[in-house]
Amino acid sequence: QVQLVESGGGLVQPGGSLRLSCVASGGVFERNDMAWYRQAPGKQRELVASISMTTRTKYADSVKGRFTISRDNAKNTVSLHMNSLNAEDTAVYYCNARDFFNSEYWGQGTQVTVSS
């Protein structure tokens, strides 16, 4: 079992920055593929960014060049650095882990609100 705890959400003005963090416990973190998803009100949950256990990264087109995903295996942490935020980035952001057995785990989510 993998447990995920997100932090770092909050209210930010348009054009601002935030960093989300997700700490994992249980399992073998360095063997997990990690990702951030988000879900805005009335919309489906969507993939924002992912980082594999080999540190290969992928990004949604809407965040390319603005968001950066990274991982620190020594701290069992995956982070999402978000720059140039706009109102369309407002959502609940969820940390996701997929382990070696292809089991999937989710955090409880952290709210990001971009508003002036």
Side-chain angles (χ1 to χ4, degrees):
Q1 284 281 6
V2 175
Q3 293 81 42
L4 304 170
V5 179
E6 302 104 332
S7 62
L11 174 64
V12 62
Q13 291 187 342
S17 300
L18 276 178
R19 186 181 77 170
L20 306 182
S21 295
C22 171
V23 179
S25 58
V28 182
F29 182 79
E30 58 264 31
R31 292 189 178 183
N32 294 340
D33 292 332
M34 303 297 298
W36 286 94
Y37 285 74
R38 68 186 181 186
Q39 187 166 19
K43 294 187 177 181
Q44 290 188 332
R45 191 172 297 189
E46 63 174 356
L47 176 66
V48 176
S50 65
I51 184 166
S52 72
M53 68 177 195
T54 60
T55 69
R56 185 173 65 179
T57 58
K58 293 182 179 179
Y59 296 92
D61 288 343
S62 60
V63 307
K64 281 181 181 176
R66 301 189 298 121
F67 290 12
T68 302
I69 189 171
S70 61
R71 66 189 297 160
D72 185 340
N73 289 344
K75 297 182 179 179
N76 286 4
T77 299
V78 61
S79 298
L80 185 68
H81 296 253
M82 306 184 293
N83 297 318
S84 302
L85 287 161
N86 57 61
E88 288 69 41
D89 297 315
T90 295
V92 178
Y93 285 70
Y94 295 92
C95 183
N96 172 274
R98 188 179 295 274
D99 68 13
F100 185 76
F101 302 101
N102 211 34
S103 295
E104 201 168 24
Y105 304 91
W106 295 91
Q108 81 286 353
T110 185
Q111 177 70 46
V112 171
T113 302
V114 184
S115 176
S116 55

